[in-house]
Amino acid sequence: MRMKQAIRSIDAFPRAEDHLLQKTQSGALVSVVGLVIMSLLFLHELRYYLTTYTVHQMSVDLKRGETLPIHINMTFPSLPCDVLSVDAIDMSGKHEVDLDTNIWKLRLNSDGHIIGTEYLSDLVEKEHAEHKDEHEDSDQKFQFFDQAAENMIKKVKQAIAHGEGCRVYGVLDVQRVAGNFHISVHGLNIYVAQMIFEGSSHVNISHIIHDLSFGPKYPGIHNPLDGTERILHGTSGTFKYYIKIVPTEYRYISKEVLPTNQFSVTEYFSPMKDSDRTWPAVYFLYDLSPITVTIREERHSFLHFITRLCAVLGGTFALTGMLDRWMFRLVEALTKPKARSAYR
């Protein structure tokens, strides 16, 4: 007998109390509220399980011999396309022999609408020790130069008078070493540039950076120069953007790997003076970090999802049971005195 009672005392599922077997309006209300709460919590936990999160890891960059893609999309509202050139040079100061270039220049009117397109099949690739003397057929060259220069000056002055601008966009594939690229009027002959602008201080290098990136974009990336506007009024100068590139690999949950780069930037502006012999430009000086960042998408385990789901649903069910018990006892306590007084 005592053995049976001892066994019954450890029963974790005793018979339900009498009030739990009665169907009441308060119980129905608590049940509906509980079902709604459990459904919302279930959807929340399911969304939490299906949503991926990212984990960042750092390691030494071991890549060698690869190219660095530079995506450019900029607008120069005060300079015609005929005077703009894109120059690229690496840290050694030598020519980029195998430079793969896809750069377009779009002529814009004063309202910013496209009125013409020009494709740059080659960059102005410069080396520090450039400008060698060439005197062959000098008379014919000077005559041709004078005629071409006059046509260029006349054409550019008309474009400036009509408020033409230029949009430069495309992709540069450069060597994966420190270097710089800049957009300027350096491609013009000094005499031509002087005749067009009447001095370097009159070159309005105002620009808008729509997009500047060093590889494809991945979810959550932020390029700090996107949407940058630098508009000059009554002055000129040289903009320099010092860029630190961080090699990055983004690994999707599907195991697909996306090699790209992210970067940080600092900006410096040097106003142009009348005594300066240099011409305004927009410089992008970049260097690569020796550390690569790996961003990996992950998802919570299914066991973790089941554990959280059981805890949430079980806790809600227990809470609604307690609430139903309290409501039943409250209603019972309020109705019993009325029943006794009516009987008397």
Side-chain angles (χ1 to χ4, degrees):
M1 195 63 152
R2 293 180 179 178
M3 181 67 66
K4 291 183 179 181
Q5 291 179 353
I7 294 175
R8 289 178 181 177
S9 63
I10 62 175
D11 184 9
F13 304 98
R15 287 196 334 175
E17 299 179 11
D18 294 338
H19 72 273
L20 295 178
L21 301 177
Q22 300 179 15
K23 296 183 180 298
T24 60
Q25 293 183 352
S26 61
L29 178 61
V30 172
S31 299
V32 171
V33 172
L35 288 175
V36 171
I37 294 176
M38 285 189 287
S39 300
L40 294 176
L41 292 177
F42 171 76
L43 293 176
H44 178 270
E45 290 299 325
L46 181 62
R47 180 182 177 184
Y48 178 78
Y49 168 68
L50 296 177
T51 302
T52 59
Y53 63 96
T54 56
V55 177
H56 293 67
Q57 295 178 339
M58 291 186 295
S59 60
V60 177
D61 185 19
L62 302 177
K63 295 179 181 178
R64 293 185 300 174
E66 297 184 2
T67 58
L68 178 68
I70 304 175
H71 300 262
I72 306 171
N73 189 352
M74 298 177 62
T75 295
F76 293 82
S78 301
L79 291 176
C81 290
D82 292 319
V83 303
L84 286 176
S85 65
V86 182
D87 308 336
I89 192 171
D90 62 15
M91 187 173 62
S92 63
K94 296 181 180 180
H95 287 279
E96 295 286 351
V97 179
D98 296 325
L99 188 60
D100 182 15
T101 306
N102 296 297
I103 296 293
W104 293 83
K105 292 196 297 186
L106 302 179
R107 293 175 56 200
L108 307 176
N109 60 16
S110 57
D111 296 326
H113 300 142
I114 300 173
I115 57 177
T117 306
E118 180 182 353
Y119 177 67
L120 300 183
S121 59
D122 57 339
L123 285 180
V124 180
E125 302 165 9
K126 294 188 175 181
E127 192 172 6
H128 290 310
E130 204 175 14
H131 307 299
K132 298 180 180 178
D133 295 332
E134 297 179 359
H135 298 290
E136 299 178 357
D137 301 328
S138 59
D139 294 338
Q140 296 180 0
K141 289 184 177 180
F142 281 135
Q143 184 177 1
F144 175 76
F145 171 76
D146 291 341
Q147 185 63 36
E150 289 179 3
N151 295 335
M152 169 67 76
I153 294 171
K154 182 178 179 181
K155 181 181 178 181
V156 173
K157 283 190 173 183
Q158 289 179 352
I160 294 177
H162 289 88
E164 275 195 26
C166 185
R167 186 163 188 169
V168 181
Y169 75 97
V171 181
L172 301 178
D173 287 320
V174 299
Q175 296 299 320
R176 198 180 180 84
V177 294
N180 77 79
F181 67 95
H182 52 277
I183 304 175
S184 63
V185 298
H186 294 169
L188 294 176
N189 180 275
I190 297 179
Y191 167 76
V192 175
Q194 188 70 31
M195 293 298 294
I196 293 174
F197 298 105
E198 299 178 355
S200 59
S201 60
H202 298 143
V203 179
N204 191 340
I205 203 69
S206 298
H207 59 278
I208 302 171
I209 304 176
H210 305 286
D211 176 57
L212 180 68
S213 57
F214 295 85
K217 297 182 179 181
Y218 61 85
I221 189 172
H222 172 67
N223 294 323
L225 286 179
D226 289 359
T228 300
E229 295 187 14
R230 296 295 179 264
I231 307 299
L232 301 177
H233 299 282
T235 185
S236 185
T238 296
F239 288 90
K240 292 185 179 180
Y241 297 96
Y242 296 90
I243 297 173
K244 193 70 173 181
I245 301 174
V246 181
T248 304
E249 281 189 354
Y250 192 88
R251 299 178 179 271
Y252 290 92
I253 194 70
S254 60
K255 306 302 181 181
E256 180 184 357
V257 179
L258 179 67
T260 183
N261 299 278
Q262 51 185 327
F263 66 93
S264 61
V265 62
T266 56
E267 178 183 352
Y268 175 74
F269 174 71
S270 176
M272 190 64 60
K273 301 178 182 178
D274 295 334
S275 58
D276 291 340
R277 295 184 178 181
T278 59
W279 290 84
V282 179
Y283 283 85
F284 297 91
L285 302 97
Y286 56 87
D287 193 8
L288 285 89
S289 170
I291 302 298
T292 182
V293 175
T294 301
I295 304 175
R296 187 175 65 253
E297 285 185 349
E298 291 189 356
R299 180 176 292 159
H300 298 282
S301 66
F302 183 73
L303 183 61
H304 182 74
F305 167 68
I306 292 298
T307 303
R308 288 175 58 96
L309 192 63
C310 291
V312 169
L313 298 184
T316 305
F317 184 79
L319 183 61
T320 53
M322 293 172 57
L323 183 61
D324 176 60
R325 185 182 302 113
W326 293 339
M327 291 185 63
F328 180 81
R329 290 178 178 176
L330 178 62
V331 172
E332 188 179 38
L334 294 176
T335 55
K336 277 186 177 181
K338 294 182 178 180
R340 292 177 182 177
S341 60
Y343 178 77
R344 289 177 182 178

